[in-house]
Amino acid sequence: MRWIELRTMWNKNIVNLDSKEVAETQRILKKYSLRVTDIAGPLFKVDWKGAPRSRYSEAVDFHASFTFDQQDEVLGRGIEMAKAFGTDRVRCFDFWRLDDQAPYRAAINQKLLDAANRAGKKGITLLLENDGGLNTTTGAEAAKVLEAVKSPHLMLNWDPGNAAANGEIPFPDGYNLLPKDRIGHCHCKDAVKSAKGYDWAPMGDGIIDWAGQFRALKRDGYHYAVSLETHWHGGGTPEEASRQSWAGMKKLLREADAL
């Protein structure tokens, strides 16, 4: 591992770091020879203004609390952080999930397009993540958004774990629907069915065909990051959970001849 995805440090969201914290982060990265894959910011993880309040909008998300009207500022800060940490990609979403998004979908797509074009002028690519509780949760939904928002500055942060937790078979079903040249990042975590629907699992211990997914990414010319997302906490400590999941991920990469 020589790369890291930045989301929160010192109980603060990445876009809220002050100049001293940015400098300290840069020092740590340099000390351990780490490069940054992307800024995993909270852009557009808010309610869509003018629509009924989403039932998901009360969720607390990684020390981020911003309003719709602050999203231009969040985008600007995400771009600043990308420049500070030497990456050209910033993660985004497409607003808390609406029971009926159809009346608002065109406007949401336009918002994504405008943001992507603004980022593109700064040499930055936005990565739309499919995520539970947002308007795009699966590969099937992501494919529709990418078809509607034809910007070279908007790509997909493909998350098979989130797709599985929202009822899709992410590989091969969801993945096969995606435009392969629009996948710009990939989150790696596994999932298992549980009484509440789904729980996270260490890589290789869940229901996702990760070896097949890695093979397909290699076959299709994917050359960006595959980032271990440390949502599984069953290892006793966060560090041990991460070590176990990383060991499973390395095994899967070897099986796929992708390591």
Side-chain angles (χ1 to χ4, degrees):
M1 285 191 294
R2 290 291 179 267
W3 296 78
I4 190 168
E5 182 172 359
L6 298 183
R7 179 175 303 180
T8 61
M9 287 81 83
W10 305 292
N11 295 319
K12 293 178 72 172
N13 190 276
I14 179 70
V15 299
N16 283 334
L17 297 188
D18 61 31
S19 58
K20 290 183 179 179
E21 290 160 338
V22 168
E24 175 62 8
T25 305
Q26 291 169 331
R27 185 193 68 79
I28 294 170
L29 293 169
K30 183 177 180 180
K31 178 180 178 180
Y32 294 102
S33 299
L34 290 170
R35 297 172 65 186
V36 175
T37 59
D38 67 297
I39 301 301
L43 181 63
F44 299 149
K45 206 165 194 179
V46 293
D47 278 302
W48 179 255
K49 193 172 185 177
R53 185 178 179 87
S54 170
R55 55 196 159 111
Y56 298 97
S57 65
E58 293 297 331
V60 177
D61 184 65
F62 297 104
H63 310 288
S65 179
F66 301 98
T67 67
F68 181 94
D69 290 334
Q70 290 176 302
Q71 293 310 295
D72 284 348
E73 178 186 349
V74 173
L75 174 57
R77 285 291 291 163
I79 292 171
E80 288 178 22
M81 292 298 101
K83 298 295 185 181
F85 295 115
T87 181
D88 64 353
R89 31 213 65 215
V90 173
R91 189 264 305 272
C92 71
F93 302 94
D94 66 345
F95 303 93
W96 290 120
R97 193 169 185 88
L98 297 165
D99 290 336
D100 180 13
Q101 59 180 284
Y104 312 97
R105 190 67 246 184
I108 290 171
N109 290 344
Q110 185 63 49
K111 190 74 168 176
L112 289 172
L113 179 62
D114 292 344
N117 288 340
R118 177 182 167 190
K121 291 177 181 177
K122 300 289 186 179
I124 301 297
T125 297
L126 292 186
L127 302 168
L128 174 66
E129 180 172 345
N130 61 290
D131 195 359
L134 283 300
N135 283 309
T136 294
T137 61
T138 62
E141 290 180 339
K144 291 180 181 178
V145 176
L146 293 171
E147 173 64 23
V149 186
K150 294 183 180 297
S151 170
H153 311 299
L154 181 73
M155 299 181 79
L156 177 66
N157 178 11
W158 174 226
D159 193 316
N162 288 343
N166 286 277
E168 185 177 67
I169 299 172
F171 183 83
D173 295 12
Y175 178 76
N176 284 345
L177 299 173
L178 299 174
K180 307 306 182 285
D181 61 345
R182 299 284 300 278
I183 302 174
H185 192 64
C186 182
H187 276 170
C188 302
K189 58 182 180 283
D190 221 329
V192 291
K193 292 183 179 180
S194 69
K196 65 179 183 180
Y198 289 87
D199 281 321
W200 303 129
M203 288 288 288
D205 286 359
I207 62 174
I208 298 171
D209 179 10
W210 270 109
Q213 177 67 91
F214 288 143
R215 284 190 203 97
L217 287 168
K218 182 179 179 181
R219 176 197 70 207
D220 294 334
Y222 180 78
H223 58 280
Y224 301 111
V226 286
S227 176
L228 174 63
E229 193 169 32
T230 54
H231 283 4
W232 177 69
H233 297 153
T237 66
E239 179 179 343
E240 180 57 27
S242 296
R243 288 184 179 277
Q244 290 182 28
S245 205
W246 176 229
M249 184 169 165
K250 285 194 291 186
K251 181 180 178 182
L252 290 161
L253 286 163
R254 289 191 191 99
E255 288 178 16
D257 193 27
L259 188 63

